[in-house]
């Protein structure tokens, strides 16, 4: 049950795009199309931003997009806005009712 | 509207026990799998346990297997986490979370309850 690997931090200026990677294994990210991404502000509950690799739940801006290639999933945020500054976590299905999370990436909007 | 409200957190000594509860509303609780996820201060999210729609089966991370027990009461719309033999490293905010109707994804979270293990 090793955590998925994410960069500790990324940054970008308003209006720019950033991509956060999430590397796992064939037993999780590479084996299933059940990768999700969560936005988390300090002291708040995580918010689902992307599910099933690339689907946006209702209400999530289309600036957020997801993809996957092999054992690595990615979250891209385009047209960065100040309110996007937060921690982002990837999560993958790893077997019946079992999940594994990434270590989290701190996004700084410069 | 979906609501998940955790309770039961607090300060406990190493080796002690604590029982967390999660009151669910706004959806058909008995129809969905549920989970507990924790966040150690300054660290990332960690899935620790899940339960299917019935009392079993249940699933645990290696870090809590044999010490924690997840359960649910579909009449009271409540999820529980019995934590025994607590360690310093169990200090964390514990989140109650629900699996989506379709697919293997958590779509709603509670606000969390803080558990502090310290002498």
């Amino acid at each position: 049950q090793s955590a998925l690997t994410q960069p500790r931090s990324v940054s970008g200026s308003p209006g720019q795009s950033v991509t956060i990677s999430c590397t796992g294994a064939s037993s999780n990210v590479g084996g299933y199309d059940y990768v999700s991404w969560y936005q988390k502000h300090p002291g708040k509950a995580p918010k689902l931003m992307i599910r099933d690799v690339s689907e946006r739940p209702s209400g999530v801006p289309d600036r957020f997009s997801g993809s996957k290639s092999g054992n690595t999933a990615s979250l891209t945020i385009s047209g960065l806005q100040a309110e996007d500054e937060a921690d982002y976590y990837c999560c993958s299905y790893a077997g019946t009712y079992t999940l594994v999370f990434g270590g989290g990436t701190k996004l700084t909007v410069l | 509207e979906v609501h998940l409200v955790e309770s039961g957190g607090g300060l406990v000594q190493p080796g002690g026990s604590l029982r967390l509860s999660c009151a669910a509303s706004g959806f058909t609780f008995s129809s969905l799998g549920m989970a507990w996820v924790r966040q150690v201060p300054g660290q990332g999210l960690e899935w620790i346990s899940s339960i299917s729609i019935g009392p079993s089966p249940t699933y645990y991370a290696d870090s809590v297997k044999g010490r924690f027990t997840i359960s649910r009461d579909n009449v009271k719309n409540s999820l529980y986490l019995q934590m025994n033999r607590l360690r310093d490293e169990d200090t964390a905010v514990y989140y109650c979370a629900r699996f989506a109707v379709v697919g293997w994804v958590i779509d709603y979270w509670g606000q969390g309850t803080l558990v502090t293990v310290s002498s």
Side-chain angles (χ1 to χ4, degrees):
Chain A
Q1 295 169 348
S2 299
L4 307 177
T5 301
Q6 297 181 232
R8 294 288 297 270
S9 64
V10 297
S11 62
S13 300
Q16 289 186 331
S17 295
V18 294
T19 296
I20 300 171
S21 62
C22 169
T23 301
S26 58
S27 58
N28 41 64
V29 174
Y32 310 97
D33 287 335
Y34 291 121
V35 176
S36 51
W37 290 90
Y38 299 90
Q39 178 189 68
K40 190 179 187 307
H41 290 101
K44 301 289 188 181
K47 176 185 177 183
L48 179 63
M49 305 302 285
I50 295 288
R51 60 164 292 165
D52 301 345
V53 176
S54 59
E55 290 189 20
R56 276 188 313 277
S58 174
V60 174
D62 60 6
R63 303 185 293 104
F64 291 83
S65 62
S67 62
K68 189 186 83 166
S69 178
N71 295 338
T72 298
S74 298
L75 171 71
T76 298
I77 309 171
S78 58
L80 270 178
Q81 299 182 4
E83 59 263 36
D84 298 334
E85 186 163 294
D87 294 325
Y88 290 84
Y89 293 89
C90 63
C91 177
S92 175
Y93 172 74
T96 305
Y97 283 112
T98 300
L99 303 172
V100 59
F101 285 89
T105 298
K106 181 177 180 58
L107 169 63
T108 301
V109 180
L110 302 171
Chain B
E1 186 179 359
V2 173
H3 281 291
L4 300 169
V5 180
E6 303 92 338
S7 61
L11 176 64
V12 60
Q13 291 188 338
S17 298
L18 209 57
R19 188 195 196 206
L20 304 184
S21 299
C22 171
S25 61
F27 66 101
T28 305
F29 179 75
S30 59
S31 298
L32 297 176
M34 299 293 294
W36 289 97
V37 177
R38 70 184 180 185
Q39 183 174 32
V40 172
Q43 297 187 25
L45 299 171
E46 179 190 14
W47 168 83
I48 57 171
S49 185
S50 297
I51 186 168
S52 64
I53 60 176
S56 62
T58 56
Y59 306 84
Y60 299 94
D62 290 342
S63 57
V64 305
K65 196 174 295 182
R67 299 187 301 123
F68 290 11
T69 303
I70 190 172
S71 63
R72 64 189 297 161
D73 185 330
N74 288 341
V75 174
K76 294 182 177 180
N77 290 343
S78 293
L79 178 72
Y80 305 101
L81 185 68
Q82 177 66 44
M83 304 186 294
N84 298 330
R85 291 185 282 145
L86 283 161
R87 306 167 178 166
D88 291 350
E89 56 264 36
D90 294 319
T91 294
V93 175
Y94 285 75
Y95 294 97
C96 167
R98 106 175 181 175
F99 279 89
V101 174
V102 177
W104 298 104
V105 59
I106 287 176
D107 61 353
Y108 284 95
W109 302 68
Q111 289 299 311
T113 186
L114 176 63
V115 172
T116 303
V117 184
S118 174
S119 53

